[in-house]
Amino acid sequence: MTRTNAREIVVHLIYGINYTKETADEAMVSRFAQDYYETLQEENDIYAERPNQKQLAYIAQVVNGIEQKQEELNGYITKYAIGWNLDRISRLARSIMQLAMYESLYVEDVPTSAAISEAVELTRKYEDEDVVSFVNGILGSFAREVAQ
């Protein structure tokens, strides 16, 4: 499994947590249960391969980190989504931006440019071009602040 696929799984987990109100740990246990994980393969190709221990550790670190830093990450989104209420932004786009911001700030081996590039491509997979531009604009503003 690639880091790109692991990122997509993180987004699915964060998105799901927003609906179910599970904790990050609960979501990890339920989604990675052998019987349940195998059913996900039918829905999305990224679940064709089960993450190895290193990938599971990355996924758990990021999902837990986003849960812990959600207020901070949403603060950045709100700051750069000028004229937009956080609730108007799709949960999926918000989850993708949270991932990119978290990686930029807290995952040492992920350059900000890589986190943003991956986020834009992931957004492109699930959303229309207007949302892709919106996400790219917010993350670009965020990246300029982080670089200072």
Side-chain angles (χ1 to χ4, degrees):
M1 172 176 286
T2 65
R3 174 72 62 99
T4 297
N5 287 356
R7 283 184 177 100
E8 190 168 351
I9 289 172
V10 167
V11 168
H12 291 177
L13 286 163
I14 295 301
Y15 178 82
I17 288 168
N18 286 323
Y19 277 109
T20 64
K21 304 301 182 202
E22 290 176 295
T23 66
D25 289 333
E26 291 168 341
M28 289 290 296
V29 168
S30 67
R31 300 314 184 287
F32 288 103
Q34 188 70 35
D35 293 344
Y36 184 74
Y37 192 86
E38 290 172 1
T39 66
L40 296 173
Q41 293 175 21
E42 300 164 11
E43 296 177 26
N44 194 316
D45 291 343
I46 65 163
Y47 295 102
E49 183 182 346
R50 194 169 178 81
N52 64 30
Q53 289 303 314
K54 182 178 178 182
Q55 294 155 340
L56 277 174
Y58 162 80
I59 291 167
Q61 172 200 354
V62 174
V63 170
N64 280 293
I66 291 171
E67 179 182 60
Q68 293 168 4
K69 301 290 186 181
Q70 190 165 30
E71 191 173 312
E72 175 189 356
L73 301 173
N74 286 342
Y76 283 117
I77 295 168
T78 300
K79 179 177 181 178
Y80 297 116
I82 299 167
W84 282 75
N85 181 308
L86 192 62
D87 292 333
R88 283 187 58 209
I89 300 170
S90 81
R91 290 178 191 207
L92 184 61
R94 204 167 50 221
S95 299
I96 291 168
M97 289 187 284
Q98 288 171 340
L99 168 61
M101 291 173 177
Y102 182 82
E103 282 188 315
S104 296
L105 294 169
Y106 299 107
V107 180
E108 290 183 16
D109 68 337
V110 178
T112 299
S113 59
I116 291 173
S117 177
E118 291 272 338
V120 169
E121 288 308 310
L122 193 51
T123 306
R124 187 168 279 120
K125 182 174 179 178
Y126 290 101
E127 300 275 11
D128 64 34
E129 277 304 310
D130 290 339
V131 178
V132 173
S133 295
F134 180 74
V135 167
N136 192 35
I138 290 173
L139 293 176
S141 295
F142 166 78
R144 284 186 288 282
E145 180 178 314
V146 168
Q148 293 178 355

